[in-house]
């Protein structure tokens, strides 16, 4: 096994591209380990509806990036206090879905410094009943990766506020809130250490060496990095991947404004509004079909909807309701 240094890059759109590049080009004969730390971001599972998982107002106010990954599973919050690891290897028929195989070295490393970490259920690592790591896997063309988060010293308030956790998920797990079921590793260490020291601790434990300088490495070439940035541009920096790839969904939004009830229904496919119907008891003069037609073919995105309606006299159609009121309602 060899370690790949990501050179301290904290852009999730680059780090996910790096992971994909290594998966595409390495791992047939050897296993590679990748570490990366992302700036504040929400990483969406491959099959999730982005808008349902993200608190969009909070994300925009705090400049949190939203990026979709290749693997399935749920949405997770990343920041500079969260260390991500990824084992990239060949599919040997005994590794995919075998989360224990890849989390065991992490658990062992933490146990060695007195942290009672353990794998609970399918893919979660817990300390004293509280989650600090979620894990996911992806398989393609005989290669796979198993990656996970390690909440070392994350801003738990951001974890709580940036994600929308469904009522069904909370009830099914028998929990009261995210805050009550997550923890940071640093709170369970006898002696406080820095993130860099934590990385070295995990690295040395996994490779069974005494000094991080002894860890075998693969150094990415300039050509490697060029390909990584190309993948980032073609996938992870695109709205079509991060938002537009969400499964088809319907939006039903109702609100009682001073001028009357406004009820908007949208059919969205691949992030694009395919149909729109507006109902309500508001007093408008114009034909609401004009507004409905204006939104067909528009991204279900706050700015895109706002721009599409910017040339219309919305109060003329919907009474004393502004464009901003309408946008907030449907997004």
């Amino acid at each position: 096994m060899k370690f790949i240094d990501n050179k301290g890059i904290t852009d999730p759109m680059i780090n996910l591209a790096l992971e994909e590049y290594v998966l595409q080009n390495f791992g047939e004969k050897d296993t590679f380990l990748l570490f990366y730390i992302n700036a504040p971001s929400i990483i969406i599972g491959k099959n999730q509806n982005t808008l349902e998982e993200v608190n969009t107002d909070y994300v925009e106010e705090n400049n949190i990036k939203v990026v979709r990954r290749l693997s399935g599973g749920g949405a997770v919050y990343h920041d500079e206090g969260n260390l991500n690891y990824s084992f990239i290897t060949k599919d040997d028929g005994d590794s995919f879905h075998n989360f224990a195989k890849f989390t065991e070295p992490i658990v062992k490393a933490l146990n060695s410094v007195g942290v009672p970490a353990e794998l609970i259920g399918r893919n979660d690592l817990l300390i004293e009943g509280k989650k600090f790591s979620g894990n996911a896997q992806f398989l393609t063309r005989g290669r796979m990766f198993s990656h996970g988060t390690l909440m070392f010293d994350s801003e738990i308030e951001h974890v709580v506020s940036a994600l929308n956790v469904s009522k069904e998920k909370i009830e099914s797990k028998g929990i009261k809130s995210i805050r009550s079921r997550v923890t940071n590793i640093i709170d369970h260490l006898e002696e406080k250490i820095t993130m860099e020291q934590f990385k070295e601790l995990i690295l040395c434990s996994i490779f069974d060496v005494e000094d991080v300088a002894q860890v075998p490495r693969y150094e990415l070439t300039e050509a490697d990095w060029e390909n990584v940035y190309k993948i980032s541009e073609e996938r992870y920096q695109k709205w079509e991947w991060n938002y537009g790839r969400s499964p088809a969904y319907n939006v039903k939004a109702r609100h009682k404004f001073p001028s009357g009830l406004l009820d908007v229904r949208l059919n969205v496919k691949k992030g694009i509004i395919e149909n729109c119907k507006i109902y309500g008891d508001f007093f408008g003069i114009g034909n609401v079909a004009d507004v409905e037609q204006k939104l067909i073919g528009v991204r279900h995105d706050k700015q895109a909807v706002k721009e599409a309606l910017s040339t219309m006299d919305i109060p003329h159609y919907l009474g004393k309701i502004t464009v901003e009121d309408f946008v907030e309602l449907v997004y």
Side-chain angles (χ1 to χ4, degrees), residues 125-161:
L125 295 182
L126 277 65
I127 299 172
E128 298 174 350
K130 292 189 175 184
K131 180 177 175 178
F132 70 92
S133 172
N135 292 266
Q137 296 180 337
F138 178 71
L139 173 67
T140 181
R141 296 181 300 176
R143 298 186 182 95
M144 63 164 288
F145 63 64
S146 186
H147 60 185
T149 58
L150 292 173
M151 286 177 58
F152 176 69
D153 192 16
S154 286
E155 289 287 346
I156 289 182
E157 194 54 47
H158 284 323
V159 178
V160 173
S161 301

Side-chain angles (χ1 to χ4, degrees), residues 120-298:
I120 299 293
R122 182 183 58 168
N123 60 340
D124 291 342
L125 295 182
L126 277 65
I127 299 172
E128 298 174 350
K130 292 189 175 184
K131 180 177 175 178
F132 70 92
S133 172
N135 292 266
Q137 296 180 337
F138 178 71
L139 173 67
T140 181
R141 296 181 300 176
R143 298 186 182 95
M144 63 164 288
F145 63 64
S146 186
H147 60 185
T149 58
L150 292 173
M151 286 177 58
F152 176 69
D153 192 16
S154 286
E155 289 287 346
I156 289 182
E157 194 54 47
H158 284 323
V159 178
V160 173
S161 301
L163 298 173
N164 284 334
V165 179
S166 69
K167 181 181 178 183
E168 292 83 1
K169 184 177 290 187
I170 290 175
E171 289 178 346
S172 70
K173 290 181 178 289
I175 56 175
K176 296 180 179 179
S177 68
I178 298 179
R179 188 182 287 102
S180 69
R181 62 183 281 261
V182 298
T183 189
N184 277 314
I185 294 168
I186 197 169
D187 295 331
H188 302 271
L189 290 170
E190 293 181 3
E191 295 183 11
K192 303 304 181 188
I193 58 175
T194 66
M195 172 62 88
E196 192 59 34
Q197 290 172 320
F198 177 65
K199 286 170 61 178
E200 292 183 4
L201 183 155
I202 299 294
L203 207 52
C204 289
S205 177
I206 289 174
F207 284 91
D208 194 22
V209 296
E210 294 184 0
D211 190 281
V212 72
Q214 298 173 292
V215 172
R217 300 167 182 257
Y218 172 80
E219 294 294 334
L220 293 166
T221 66
E222 188 173 321
D224 287 332
W225 280 112
E226 287 177 1
N227 287 318
V228 169
Y229 278 87
K230 182 178 180 182
I231 292 172
S232 177
E233 290 172 4
E234 294 178 349
R235 188 192 302 277
Y236 300 101
Q237 295 181 35
K238 287 187 177 293
W239 180 91
E240 288 80 4
W241 170 255
N242 295 323
Y243 284 87
R245 201 183 177 284
S246 295
Y249 58 94
N250 297 322
V251 174
K252 179 181 178 181
R254 292 163 55 94
H255 186 72
K256 181 73 173 179
F257 292 96
S259 56
L261 176 70
L262 181 61
D263 184 340
V264 183
R265 316 289 177 90
L266 303 177
N267 298 121
V268 184
K269 187 174 183 180
K270 293 184 178 179
I272 304 298
I273 299 171
E274 291 197 336
N275 193 24
C276 173
K277 293 298 294 182
I278 298 173
Y279 307 96
D281 60 6
F282 50 84
F283 293 100
I285 300 172
N287 186 347
V288 294
D290 294 343
V291 180
E292 295 169 346
Q293 192 62 38
K294 198 75 173 179
L295 291 176
I296 294 176
V298 174

Side-chain angles (χ1 to χ4, degrees), residues 28-41:
E28 279 190 332
K29 297 180 180 179
D30 205 349
T31 297
F32 292 83
L33 174 63
L34 180 67
F35 279 173
Y36 55 91
I37 295 172
N38 287 326
S41 51

Side-chain angles (χ1 to χ4, degrees), residues 63-76:
N63 196 30
I64 297 171
K65 289 185 177 181
V66 178
V67 191
R68 187 184 300 278
R69 62 179 186 268
L70 288 176
S71 61
V76 290

